[in-house]
Amino acid sequence: MKQWLLAGAAAFLLTGPVAMTVTSPAAAEVKQGGSMTVTYKDDVSTLDPAIGYDWQNWSMIKSLFDGLMDYKPGTTELVPDLAESYEISDDGLTYTFKLRPGVKFHNGRALTAQDVKYSLERVVNPATQSPGAGFFAAIKGFDAASAGDAGGLEGVEAVDDATVKITLSRPDATFLHVMALNFAHVVPSEAVEEHGADFGKHPVGTGAFKLAEWTLGQRVVFERNQDYYHAGLPRLDQIVFEVGQEPIVALLRLERGEVDIAGDGIPPAKFLETKNDPKFKDMIVEGSQLHTGYVTLNVKMKPFDDVKVRQAVNMAINKDRIVRIINGRAVPANQPLPPLMPGYDESYEGFAYDPEKAKALLAEAGLAEGFETELFVANTDPQPRIAQAIQQDLAQIGIKAEIKALAQANVIAAGGEEDQAPMIWSGGMAWIADFPDPSNFYGPILGCGGAVPGGWNWAWYCNADLDARAVKADSMADPSQAEARIEEWKKIFTAIQDEAPWVPVFNEQRFTIRSDRLAGPEGIFVDPVHIPVHYDYVYAKDAQ
């Protein structure tokens, strides 16, 4: 969930379909002012763009900070943001960004190129412990900086106050996407140094909103940045994020007009009732997302080190039934990439549901009598119910899977250990792409770089040949190579699925429910990048 781009290069970097089209309301209809209330069950973990990496704080951070690149609201189309323009050298190694004039931080200081350099170097500094540091590996000097052996990034230069030059060690077709990630958002060094590790509780950025209040366990309040450089934004004067609110209670309060957006969505148990209720007809917004829900099969643990066993598990799971469990809020998946993502192979058939063939494969693997294993799952509804359906399907072919329903953090921790979790149902933690490029579905969750302690490659799958092909694909940065690059990624992902380190289960749709008093351009309530909502463009129809 992030952003990137500029005019000349846009044509070849926009390799995928746009999720939404934006139709701006007529100027006379747009209201300025007012407030809205958003609820969440959990407290906000951090608002530091170098640290925050969950779906809840993602769009909040985007409203407080900005990067050199961003996406057009409601779409996956990259546009310049803090960068007014940029140029790319003929060899694809040097990017020169001209900063937009008149941008100020929330503390009143003007943005400079030195702030961009500081922010990038802060992210890759190991002392920051940023989960996004690896995204910047193509920048010259990354290895030394990320190891703590250099004082900064050799490839980042503040040419003057308004010019940043970034030199890569290799061409990288995703680099402008990386410049739109939250991790590349710009922070002022003086605020970071003042608050240290608590900067995430005292954020200072250049964004449309600024932090006005944070009462831990109760609420976070944003107020309008009067000096924001995008004219007319934000629309609202204030956003109140209430935390500690159970989703079912939030829905009832929304119905009474006390809440404007139920941040955790419609509770699964109330989904059909709510969706079919006429009074909610115009309050529910549906949109596609770059998401796949999957079961990981740990290739380092027996018997999942045998490809036949992994293929058998793929054939044993009835994905249509699982989609019904979540009331049809998804479509069955047969490969790691979601249909919205460039590189999705429409012709790939994958492993069809076939319990008898699955039994035959187990017999070929010497496991005709089946085996016992464990299936880890987050303990929030509907994830345990999905895990039970998977458990029942596996039992039909002789696999006895004990369900380990744990807090999400504990499941993530188990997945990051090589010998802890034979199988994980990713629901609630499933991958939503950081940016609309197939490489982002590879490196962190299927590449060798993610198969490390604490990593997100919970299958511990590492194919050195495919890793080399992935690096080569991302080096195809020339516009003339765009189509060939996506074709190569298509082949990489189908080759991975042939080896079955995952069971891709479904691609989930996103549903946002919001009060009738809110409005905005099409797509912003299910924004594919500002997940879940692009707060900057929301306005209140009853604003005075």
Side-chain angles (χ1 to χ4, degrees):
M1 23 194 119
K2 345 302 171 192
Q3 311 120 290
W4 311 276
L5 247 158
L6 162 85
F12 80 89
L13 286 166
L14 291 177
T15 51
V18 172
M20 295 283 176
T21 56
V22 176
T23 305
S24 297
E29 298 175 353
V30 174
K31 299 292 186 71
Q32 190 77 53
S35 176
M36 75 172 175
T37 300
V38 182
T39 62
Y40 285 108
K41 178 182 179 181
D42 297 326
D43 206 349
V44 181
S45 58
T46 180
L47 292 173
D48 184 342
I51 305 297
Y53 201 22
D54 63 59
W55 67 271
Q56 179 178 334
N57 63 29
W58 194 257
S59 60
M60 296 174 72
I61 287 171
K62 285 188 178 300
S63 285
L64 295 172
F65 298 88
D66 302 293
L68 293 174
M69 305 299 298
D70 199 352
Y71 290 105
K72 185 177 291 186
T75 79
T76 58
E77 180 182 346
L78 273 169
V79 293
D81 193 8
L82 290 180
E84 185 176 50
S85 64
Y86 63 80
E87 294 179 354
I88 307 174
S89 62
D90 290 341
D91 62 6
L93 294 177
T94 302
Y95 292 71
T96 303
F97 298 90
K98 287 290 184 180
L99 299 185
R100 185 186 301 271
V103 178
K104 294 180 180 180
F105 287 109
H106 298 154
N107 62 12
R109 181 171 68 75
L111 170 78
T112 70
Q114 188 60 41
D115 295 311
V116 178
K117 176 177 171 63
Y118 169 81
S119 300
L120 296 179
E121 292 178 339
R122 174 176 179 253
V123 170
V124 303
N125 187 328
T128 304
Q129 297 185 323
S130 171
F135 286 112
F136 303 90
I139 297 177
K140 188 176 181 181
F142 170 83
D143 290 340
S146 63
D149 296 334
L153 281 166
E154 179 186 353
V156 182
E157 177 186 357
V159 178
D160 56 42
D161 282 352
T163 310
V164 180
K165 184 166 72 173
I166 302 177
T167 303
L168 308 184
S169 57
R170 54 177 169 80
D172 182 1
T174 71
F175 184 67
L176 288 175
H177 287 292
V178 172
M179 288 297 99
L181 287 171
N182 285 18
F183 301 117
H185 283 5
V186 182
V187 301
S189 59
E190 67 272 21
V192 175
E193 291 165 3
E194 177 184 356
H195 297 289
D198 286 333
F199 177 71
K201 293 289 191 292
H202 304 274
V204 177
T206 60
F209 290 94
K210 56 186 179 180
L211 181 67
E213 175 194 337
W214 190 335
T215 304
L216 293 178
Q218 296 183 37
R219 67 184 206 158
V220 177
V221 180
F222 288 1
E223 65 181 16
R224 185 172 185 259
N225 175 10
Q226 300 289 345
D227 294 325
Y228 195 45
Y229 56 92
H230 284 303
L233 295 179
R235 312 296 193 197
L236 295 167
D237 286 340
Q238 183 187 70
I239 306 176
V240 178
F241 298 94
E242 295 186 2
V243 300
Q245 190 78 87
E246 289 293 332
I248 191 72
V249 176
L251 181 64
L252 292 172
R253 292 186 61 206
L254 188 146
E255 186 176 357
R256 294 197 299 263
E258 300 170 4
V259 167
D260 294 301
I261 293 179
D264 292 307
I266 304 170
K270 301 286 288 185
F271 180 78
L272 285 181
E273 176 187 341
T274 304
K275 190 171 184 292
N276 295 330
D277 190 327
K279 67 173 173 285
F280 291 119
K281 178 178 181 294
D282 296 325
M283 299 165 67
I284 298 174
V285 187
E286 178 182 359
S288 300
Q289 56 185 346
L290 300 169
H291 164 280
T292 300
Y294 51 90
V295 176
T296 57
L297 307 175
N298 191 326
V299 302
K300 297 288 188 179
M301 298 181 70
K302 290 184 177 298
F304 298 118
D305 57 339
D306 188 329
V307 66
K308 290 183 179 179
V309 174
R310 302 195 300 268
Q311 291 173 341
V313 172
N314 268 267
M315 295 177 182
I317 295 176
N318 186 338
K319 301 171 186 179
D320 291 324
R321 182 164 72 111
I322 293 174
V323 169
R324 289 196 295 272
I325 289 173
I326 60 170
N327 300 315
R329 290 179 293 154
V331 294
N334 68 352
Q335 58 192 283
L337 292 182
L340 190 63
M341 180 68 79
Y344 177 82
D345 190 343
E346 294 183 359
S347 66
Y348 184 72
E349 296 182 357
F351 300 100
Y353 175 57
D354 191 337
E356 293 306 314
K357 191 170 182 179
K359 290 179 184 178
L361 279 173
L362 285 185
E364 290 178 24
L367 294 167
E369 302 302 316
F371 59 91
E372 296 182 0
T373 188
E374 294 177 331
L375 172 61
F376 284 66
V377 59
N379 60 6
T380 53
D381 189 57
Q383 312 313 334
R385 289 191 288 124
I386 293 174
Q388 289 167 4
I390 294 170
Q391 180 188 50
Q392 292 164 6
D393 288 340
L394 295 178
Q396 296 300 311
I397 66 168
I399 299 175
K400 298 178 181 178
E402 177 187 356
I403 292 177
K404 306 282 283 188
L406 306 172
Q408 177 174 296
N410 293 335
V411 177
I412 294 171
E417 296 292 333
E418 184 175 328
D419 59 354
Q420 292 297 306
M423 304 176 68
I424 297 177
W425 161 241
S426 71
M429 307 163 290
W431 199 251
I432 301 176
D434 298 286
F435 50 82
D437 187 275
S439 65
N440 187 239
F441 252 80
Y442 178 77
I445 50 177
L446 284 164
C448 297
V452 295
W456 281 74
N457 184 346
W458 301 334
W460 289 81
Y461 173 80
C462 174
N463 184 317
D465 290 338
L466 291 180
D467 244 34
R469 287 172 60 184
V471 170
K472 184 177 179 181
D474 277 348
S475 296
M476 300 167 69
D478 189 284
S480 65
Q481 299 175 299
E483 185 175 343
R485 176 177 177 269
I486 294 303
E487 283 300 313
E488 175 63 3
W489 271 117
K490 184 182 295 185
K491 294 174 183 176
I492 289 171
F493 277 104
T494 53
I496 289 171
Q497 189 53 34
D498 286 345
E499 295 192 349
W502 280 11
V503 182
V505 177
F506 57 58
N507 306 116
E508 192 170 358
Q509 293 285 94
R510 188 184 315 128
F511 293 84
T512 297
I513 183 165
R514 50 43 165 175
S515 68
D516 189 57
R517 62 182 290 271
L518 297 184
E522 183 180 348
I524 62 163
F525 291 105
V526 284
D527 193 286
V529 177
H530 290 245
I531 296 171
V533 177
H534 198 322
Y535 295 119
D536 301 6
Y537 286 82
V538 175
Y539 67 90
K541 291 185 288 187
D542 58 359
Q544 301 300 315

